[in-house]
Amino acid sequence: MYDTLIGDVLVLDGSGAAGFKADVALAGGRVAAIGRLAGAAARHRVDGTALALAPGFIDVHTHDDTNVIRTPDMLPKLSQGVTTVVVGNCGISAAPVTLRGEPPDPMNLLGGRDAFAYPTFADYTRAVDAARPTVNVAALVGHTALRSNHMDRLDRRATETEIAAMRAQLRDALRHGAIGLSTGLAYASAQHADTAEVQALAEELNAHGALYTTHLRSEFAEILEAMQEAYDIAAHARVPVIVSHLKCAGAGNWGRSGEVLASLDTAGKYLPVGCDCYPYSASSSTLDLKQVTDDFDIDITWSDPHPGMAGRKLADIAAHWGVPLREAAQRLQPAGAVYHGMHEDDVRRILAHRLTMVGSDGLPNDPLPHPRLWGAFPRVLGHYSRELGLFPLAEAVHKMTGLSAARFGLHERGLVRAGHYADLVLFDPARVADRASYVDPQQPAAGIAAVWVNGELSYRAGQLTGARAGRWLPRGGDLRAGFNAFSSIPASQEQP
C-alpha cells in the first residue's frame, strides 16, 4: 500500500521536458511509482486534476543559516513550494564561526552575536538535525566568516599563517559535507582580500569535488573584470564556479546584460560555470555608502539608531533631516536597504539564460524584508512564465529544481523520478502568483496547494501541517559532474 497517491496530475518532472499526465505514488519518503495507478491502494489520496506536480523548489541562494534552527517552521519558504535551502552564501555563514564581539557587516544579516553558536561546521550540522526544520538544508562555508575567525581586523589581506588556519577550517567543513566556499568580495569585510588569498582557499575545494560561489567584487561598472576574477579563481582551483545573484547594478550599468551573459558563455567553454538570480529589479542588503545615489529609489528596511525610519525612502529621510543623502545614510547605519537599481530588461535576459538558476536571496531577519523572501519562486511561475511568456512552465520549473540539484550535488532530489526523495510541490498553473510586495512583503503566495518534504505533507491549503521532515544534506559526490547533466536542454528564447 502506498502512503500517498496524487491522481491525474500534470507532472513537470524538473528535467525541462514537457509535462505529462500521470498518477504519482509516494511510499517511505520517496516517489514509489509514476503512471496510471488509479486502482492502487493508498492511505491518502489527493486529486491532482487541473494542478501541476513539480519537484520541491530548491532555493540555491539563501541567508537562512540561523533561521532553519531558530524558526524551523520556515513558513516564508515552505509556503512558496521551497523544500531545500542552500545557506552560507555571499561569504557569510553561521559556521564555522567564533566571534570576538558583535558579528561584522554583513554577517549581521544572520542575526546578533547570540545567533552564532557553531564554532565548527559539525556543530552546525548537528544543530540543524536537532532543530528538525520543515525544509532540507545544504551549506556553503563563508569566506568572510573564516576571515573573522582568524584575523584581528578585516581591512587588509590575510597573512600566510591566517590563510593556513582558514584553509584548515574549510578542509574540516568539506569533510563534514559542505558544498563549497562562498565569497562576498564587494563587502568591506572582504574587499581587501586579493585574488591570491581566495585562490589559496579555493585550492581546498578540488580534492573534495566542491564548488566556488561568489558575490562578485563588483556588480557595477567593473562587473566584467569581477567575473574574470571569479573565473581565474575557479580555474586555478580546477573547480566549478557559480556567480551569485547575477545582475547589472546601477543606472550606468543598465543594458549590459548581453555582454555579461556573453562573458559567462565564453567562460563556459573552458570552465564549469553557472549563475543564479532573483526575479526582481531591486536588490537588498545592508545600507552601503558606496551604493548611495539619487539615480534610483533606496528604501530603508531597518536602522539600529533610527528604527522609526524603516519603510521610508532614503531621499525622503534626507529631505526630512535637511541633509545630503550620504549624510542621512551615515546617520542611519547600521541599517538595511532595498535598492531599486536594476533595469527590468536586464533581469529578464539574465533570468531566461540557459545557465541561470533561481535563488531568492531573501533576508529573513529583516523586519521589512524584500518581497523575494516570500515570493521569488511563484513569481517565476506566474509573472515571468505564465504572464510574460519568458519561458515555458517546464523550463521555469527546471531552473528551480533539476538544474539546481545537479549543480549543487543534491543527490536524488530535484526530479520527479521513481526512487527519488519525495520533495514535491502541487500548484495551480493558472493561479500561482507572488503576493508579497515592497509595501506588504510578508505575504504567502497564491496557488500553492500542497508541499511534501521527504514524503511528509508539510503545507496544505495555506497552512502548515505541523510535519517537520527536513534534513541536513551533505554534499553528494563530485559536483563537477552536475555541470554536464543538462547539456542537451536547449536554451530559452532569450529576450532582446
Side-chain angles (χ1 to χ4, degrees):
M1 178 180 288
Y2 296 124
D3 296 331
T4 301
L5 184 65
I6 306 164
D8 194 31
V9 71
L10 175 67
V11 178
L12 298 164
D13 69 2
S15 71
F20 58 92
K21 293 286 281 190
D23 307 319
V24 178
L26 316 182
R30 294 180 180 259
V31 176
I34 304 169
R36 292 301 174 188
L37 308 169
R43 295 180 180 85
H44 305 284
R45 290 181 175 271
V46 178
D47 182 6
T49 305
L51 300 176
L53 185 72
F57 304 137
I58 298 167
D59 193 343
V60 298
H61 193 105
T62 84
H63 297 288
D64 294 325
D65 305 51
T66 59
N67 297 80
V68 294
I69 297 168
R70 294 185 293 147
T71 55
D73 285 346
M74 294 297 292
L75 184 60
K77 296 301 171 67
L78 198 65
S79 65
Q80 56 181 307
V82 170
T83 57
T84 297
V85 297
V86 178
V87 303
N89 285 279
C90 295
I92 56 179
S93 59
V97 171
T98 303
L99 294 175
R100 297 176 180 83
E102 289 300 313
D105 184 291
M107 286 177 63
N108 53 4
L109 290 173
L110 304 184
R113 185 174 185 175
D114 61 345
F116 293 86
Y118 318 105
T120 72
F121 195 79
D123 291 333
Y124 179 74
T125 67
R126 286 190 289 267
V128 170
D129 280 336
R132 295 172 43 247
T134 61
V135 297
N136 303 308
V137 182
L140 297 154
V141 175
H143 170 229
T144 298
L146 296 174
R147 299 188 100 230
S148 177
N149 291 343
H150 297 287
M151 299 177 67
D152 58 346
R153 39 184 260 262
L154 302 178
D155 59 347
R156 61 174 174 83
R157 184 191 186 275
T159 66
E160 294 305 315
T161 299
E162 290 163 342
I163 290 173
M166 287 191 273
R167 288 184 65 152
Q169 275 198 313
L170 176 59
R171 192 181 312 126
D172 177 73
L174 292 167
R175 288 170 177 161
H176 285 90
I179 292 173
L181 172 72
S182 77
T183 57
L185 299 175
Y187 291 108
S189 51
Q191 67 184 14
H192 293 278
D194 61 11
T195 304
E197 176 182 318
V198 183
Q199 285 177 325
L201 292 177
E203 288 171 2
E204 295 292 338
L205 305 174
N206 184 31
H208 296 271
L211 56 75
Y212 173 59
T213 75
T214 180
H215 177 150
L216 296 169
R217 197 176 291 273
S218 176
E219 297 171 327
F220 293 82
E222 300 82 12
I223 186 170
L224 294 180
E225 293 83 356
M227 292 176 76
Q228 186 60 52
E229 180 187 34
Y231 308 148
D232 291 345
I233 291 166
H236 173 84
R238 294 179 295 172
V239 297
V241 59
I242 291 173
V243 179
S244 297
H245 44 56
L246 184 61
K247 65 173 75 72
C248 295
N253 229 20
W254 292 348
R256 296 186 66 197
S257 53
E259 58 184 303
V260 165
L261 292 170
S263 168
L264 204 67
D265 281 331
T266 299
K269 295 176 181 178
Y270 66 88
L271 185 71
V273 298
C275 67
D276 65 69
C277 80
Y278 44 83
Y280 298 86
S281 59
S283 61
S284 182
S285 187
T286 51
L287 181 58
D288 179 5
L289 295 182
K290 293 185 298 182
Q291 296 189 54
V292 171
T293 178
D294 58 5
D295 289 340
F296 48 78
D297 285 339
I298 300 173
D299 304 331
I300 301 303
T301 59
W302 58 271
S303 168
D304 278 357
H306 299 282
M309 294 300 172
R312 299 185 63 176
K313 296 189 182 304
L314 178 60
D316 294 342
I317 296 169
H320 175 70
W321 286 343
V323 299
L325 280 180
R326 187 178 177 86
E327 183 177 336
Q330 287 174 318
R331 289 190 190 183
L332 290 164
Q333 287 183 315
V338 167
Y339 305 88
H340 295 268
M342 289 175 271
H343 196 285
E344 177 64 19
D345 288 349
D346 289 321
V347 174
R348 294 182 190 183
R349 191 175 289 114
I350 291 169
L351 184 60
H353 192 268
R354 61 187 177 83
L355 294 177
T356 304
M357 300 171 285
V358 175
S360 73
D361 197 16
L363 302 179
N365 299 307
D366 257 17
L368 191 66
H370 188 300
R372 64 194 182 187
L373 178 67
W374 288 79
F377 292 83
R379 183 171 176 79
V380 173
L381 300 172
H383 179 63
Y384 284 102
S385 179
R386 184 183 65 236
E387 296 175 4
L388 298 184
L390 190 62
F391 31 56
L393 185 61
E395 188 171 348
V397 168
H398 172 62
K399 288 175 170 292
M400 307 191 295
T401 58
L403 182 62
S404 307
R407 294 290 194 258
F408 282 85
L410 305 178
H411 187 55
E412 296 182 337
R413 300 182 193 270
L415 297 171
V416 181
R417 293 278 193 276
H420 278 45
Y421 291 100
D423 293 343
L424 301 166
V425 55
L426 184 68
F427 66 92
D428 184 345
R431 292 184 53 249
V432 65
D434 58 309
R435 296 192 298 191
S437 68
Y438 293 102
V439 175
D440 193 7
Q442 300 185 52
Q443 296 296 316
I448 303 294
V451 181
W452 290 263
V453 180
N454 294 308
E456 295 287 335
L457 181 61
S458 302
Y459 183 82
R460 178 180 56 196
Q463 300 292 325
L464 295 165
T465 66
R468 301 220 310 251
R471 300 173 184 170
W472 160 251
L473 302 183
R475 185 185 65 260
D478 191 324
L479 303 194
R480 282 167 286 219
F483 283 74
N484 299 318
F486 294 103
S487 58
S488 62
I489 296 293
S492 303
Q493 291 184 351
E494 297 171 17
Q495 302 302 298

